[in-house]
Amino acid sequence: MVEAESRRVTVIGTGYLGATTAACLAEMGFEVLGLDVDEAKIETLRSGRVPFYEPGLDELLTSGLEAGRLRFTTSFAEAAEFADLHLICVGTPQRDESGAADLKYVNAAVESLAPHLTRPAVVVGRSTVPVGTAATLAARLSALAPVGEEAELGWSPEFLREGFGVEDTLRPNRIVIGTDSPRVEKAVRALWQRQVDAGTPFLVTDLQTAELVKVSANAFLATKISFINAMAEVSEVAGADVIQLAEALSYDDRIGGKFLGPGLGFGGGCLPKDIRAFMARADELGVEPALSFLREVDAINQRRRARTIDIARQLIGGNFAGRTVTVLGAAFKPNSDDIRDSPALDVASTIASLGARVTVYDPQALERAREAHPELNYADSMLEAARDADVVLLLTEWTEFREANPEELAEVVAQKRIVDGRNALDPTYWRASGWTYRALGRQ
Ligand SMILES: NC(=O)c1ccc[n+]([C@@H]2O[C@H](COP(=O)([O-])OP(=O)(O)OC[C@H]3O[C@@H](n4cnc5c(N)ncnc54)[C@H](O)[C@@H]3O)[C@@H](O)[C@H]2O)c1
């Protein structure tokens, strides 16, 4: 039996999700061993540096390491020896054009851990996977583990938001565990006892439902964003104002105002790939029509990128060739340095391919952006990026950009033209400072 009082846990995969989970569990008093196959990442974590930007995580990493409750390794043998509860937090990126999820990392994590499980153990997947994955992995785990069926697998999807990862992990809005094993349920309940005592709902489901909770939550959120962006498209041609429309909708508490912000749309390492993987899985299950609306959700989202480029092109007289363009924002959203499927970088690199000289500034994501998009220019401050610009595009709504001073910016640009891709600025204020202001979904 897994010891009920065991306070030891391993976290396999120490990216955005895993490193945050590991540091938060150490903060909660657990003894945590983080494991990754990326040696450089493990070295960075061991030295007390977080390999990405996540507010508040540095402090937790440092205090966990100093307290001796948090360690890192690349050895699966050490992980199996260390604890009897293992959380799988490895990536599940989009595989190819089919949109399906690439499960090679979750498969590898289970296949690497299993042969070392000589004592009863609980393995809990936290990665986002297509429905049906966990049942296959559970069988594989017990087939490969020396301890056989005493190595049990459950699935507990993770809902943290990058930028709020620490807060969301320490105070989750719900814990879902898919399992029919009392032992798995008990181990996961023990992990989140403090949160459950404080009122966090704890839901026990079957494996399939747990897997579906995560992908359907993301499908719903993506749909809500694309819904308001579809209204923005209509508003643009009908002469309406989507910001006022969204506000009026938000007072209906059946609708609510969250995720109802019109703009450049969603990106990142989760929503785009999760809705595509969900569609691909529905196709395999023979229920493709049930999710065909997600194709439209994806298409609306992509069209916002094209529309943002069109607005900027119109503003500078119809042609990007030889023009100077400033892009404010590279991360897919503020308070993160994650540039996976970043709408801002997508727009920036398309404009560069149309002949403009594009300079990008972002408070946290410059290093990653530089690596992924060497065709763009980068500046270390907003003012430097905006120098001689024919048009400025605000594409990630960092507070620094929301609070930008239009008069200060006016002194460095060639032309006072701004495209507010996130509806983050006050148009009246910017126009009063002499700027030509354009935004999505507004006149
Ligand atoms: N990032 C988020 O905000 C978030 C939120 C909820 C769920 N998720 C889900 O969590 C999973 C991880 O996402 P992420 O953003 O942390 O990805 P990530 O790419 O930042 O991290 C994944 C890590 O797994 C490691 N890895 C790969 N194969 C491994 C193996 N065999 N053994 C050990 N480590 C291995 C990689 O080296 C990498 O460090 C995905 O399924 C994602 O959809 C992410």
Side-chain angles (χ1 to χ4, degrees):
M1 288 292 289
V2 175
E3 306 255 331
E5 64 273 16
S6 172
R7 302 285 287 170
R8 288 182 161 202
V9 56
T10 78
V11 176
I12 298 174
T14 56
Y16 283 93
L17 168 59
T20 308
T21 304
C24 288
L25 288 172
E27 169 70 13
M28 284 154 55
F30 291 94
E31 282 183 67
V32 185
L33 182 64
L35 180 153
D36 206 290
V37 289
D38 181 338
E39 286 182 17
K41 193 173 274 187
I42 288 299
E43 268 318 308
T44 305
L45 287 162
R46 273 184 184 145
S47 71
R49 284 173 295 131
V50 178
F52 50 88
Y53 175 72
E54 184 64 39
L57 192 53
D58 281 300
E59 292 84 336
L60 291 195
L61 176 67
T62 307
S63 63
L65 289 169
E66 281 174 3
R69 281 197 303 273
L70 181 56
R71 289 192 303 111
F72 293 94
T73 186
T74 54
S75 160
F76 279 93
E78 188 183 346
E81 179 53 38
F82 177 78
D84 298 320
L85 174 59
H86 308 277
L87 307 182
I88 299 211
C89 297
V90 301
T92 48
Q94 185 173 322
R95 191 169 61 203
D96 48 34
E97 288 309 302
S98 73
D102 191 341
L103 296 176
K104 68 172 179 251
Y105 304 110
V106 265
N107 291 338
V110 167
E111 285 164 10
S112 305
L113 177 68
H116 300 286
L117 298 177
T118 51
R119 305 187 302 264
V122 168
V123 177
V124 175
R126 306 228 68 195
S127 308
T128 303
V129 291
V131 60
T133 305
T136 308
L137 283 174
R140 188 99 188 105
L141 178 73
S142 52
L144 293 176
V147 75
E149 307 247 306
E150 297 270 25
E152 292 188 276
L153 182 130
W155 214 265
S156 180
E158 171 61 55
F159 305 101
L160 71 79
R161 300 161 297 166
E162 281 173 32
F164 301 92
V166 169
E167 172 65 19
D168 287 350
T169 307
L170 294 176
R171 275 171 283 280
N173 50 23
R174 77 280 212 194
I175 300 291
V176 177
I177 172 65
T179 184
D180 56 9
S181 153
R183 195 151 64 95
V184 173
E185 181 185 333
K186 190 171 167 189
V188 174
R189 202 180 274 280
L191 207 53
W192 302 109
Q193 195 58 54
R194 188 167 103 186
Q195 286 77 4
V196 174
D197 288 346
T200 300
F202 188 86
L203 288 88
V204 183
T205 69
D206 51 49
L207 285 176
Q208 291 80 353
T209 306
E211 293 167 315
L212 271 179
V213 170
K214 174 64 189 179
V215 284
S216 55
N218 276 357
F220 187 87
L221 295 172
T223 303
K224 200 168 175 193
I225 297 171
S226 278
F227 173 81
I228 199 63
N229 282 335
M231 296 308 110
E233 277 189 44
V234 176
S235 298
E236 279 159 20
V237 292
D241 184 309
V242 76
I243 296 296
Q244 288 185 322
L245 172 72
E247 186 189 347
L249 291 174
S250 73
Y251 296 122
D252 184 333
D253 60 16
R254 294 169 303 177
I255 298 174
K258 287 185 181 160
F259 272 58
L260 210 61
L264 182 54
F266 57 82
C270 289
L271 290 193
K273 64 124 173 128
D274 287 351
I275 62 168
R276 290 171 200 150
F278 199 10
M279 285 186 275
R281 185 66 184 132
D283 210 2
E284 286 166 8
L285 292 171
V287 287
E288 191 266 342
L291 296 187
S292 60
F293 72 96
L294 287 179
R295 225 167 286 289
E296 203 47 52
V297 165
D298 203 2
I300 293 166
N301 194 52
Q302 295 298 325
R303 282 205 296 275
R304 291 289 78 186
R305 301 181 186 188
R307 176 69 184 141
T308 302
I309 294 166
D310 280 345
I311 292 175
R313 189 178 8 227
Q314 276 170 17
L315 267 186
I316 57 168
N319 195 343
F320 282 116
R323 309 309 286 269
T324 300
V325 174
T326 298
V327 165
L328 300 179
F332 88 94
K333 68 171 182 181
N335 301 315
S336 173
D337 65 349
D338 194 345
I339 58 159
R340 289 178 286 187
D341 199 355
S342 161
L345 284 176
D346 191 10
V347 167
S349 78
T350 305
I351 293 178
S353 74
L354 295 170
R357 178 188 161 76
V358 180
T359 304
V360 179
Y361 167 67
D362 187 284
Q364 292 293 341
L366 282 184
E367 207 178 307
R368 285 175 196 272
R370 256 194 200 106
E371 212 172 292
H373 289 277
E375 78 280 13
L376 301 170
N377 303 292
Y378 296 93
D380 291 327
S381 74
M382 175 163 47
L383 287 181
E384 200 191 311
R387 195 164 300 286
D388 301 327
D390 293 308
V391 61
V392 176
L393 287 83
L394 191 168
L395 302 183
T396 311
E397 66 277 35
W398 286 94
T399 305
E400 182 181 347
F401 304 151
R402 284 182 181 279
E403 293 175 351
N405 181 335
E407 277 157 23
E408 221 173 72
L409 217 55
E411 284 174 21
V412 298
V413 296
Q415 300 291 333
K416 288 183 272 181
R417 301 172 182 137
I418 187 153
V419 180
D420 182 0
R422 295 293 179 180
N423 281 299
L425 305 173
D426 176 354
T428 314
Y429 180 47
W430 281 73
R431 286 183 180 133
S433 301
W435 286 76
T436 304
Y437 171 95
R438 293 285 304 276
L440 294 157
R442 313 186 83 173
Q443 301 314 302

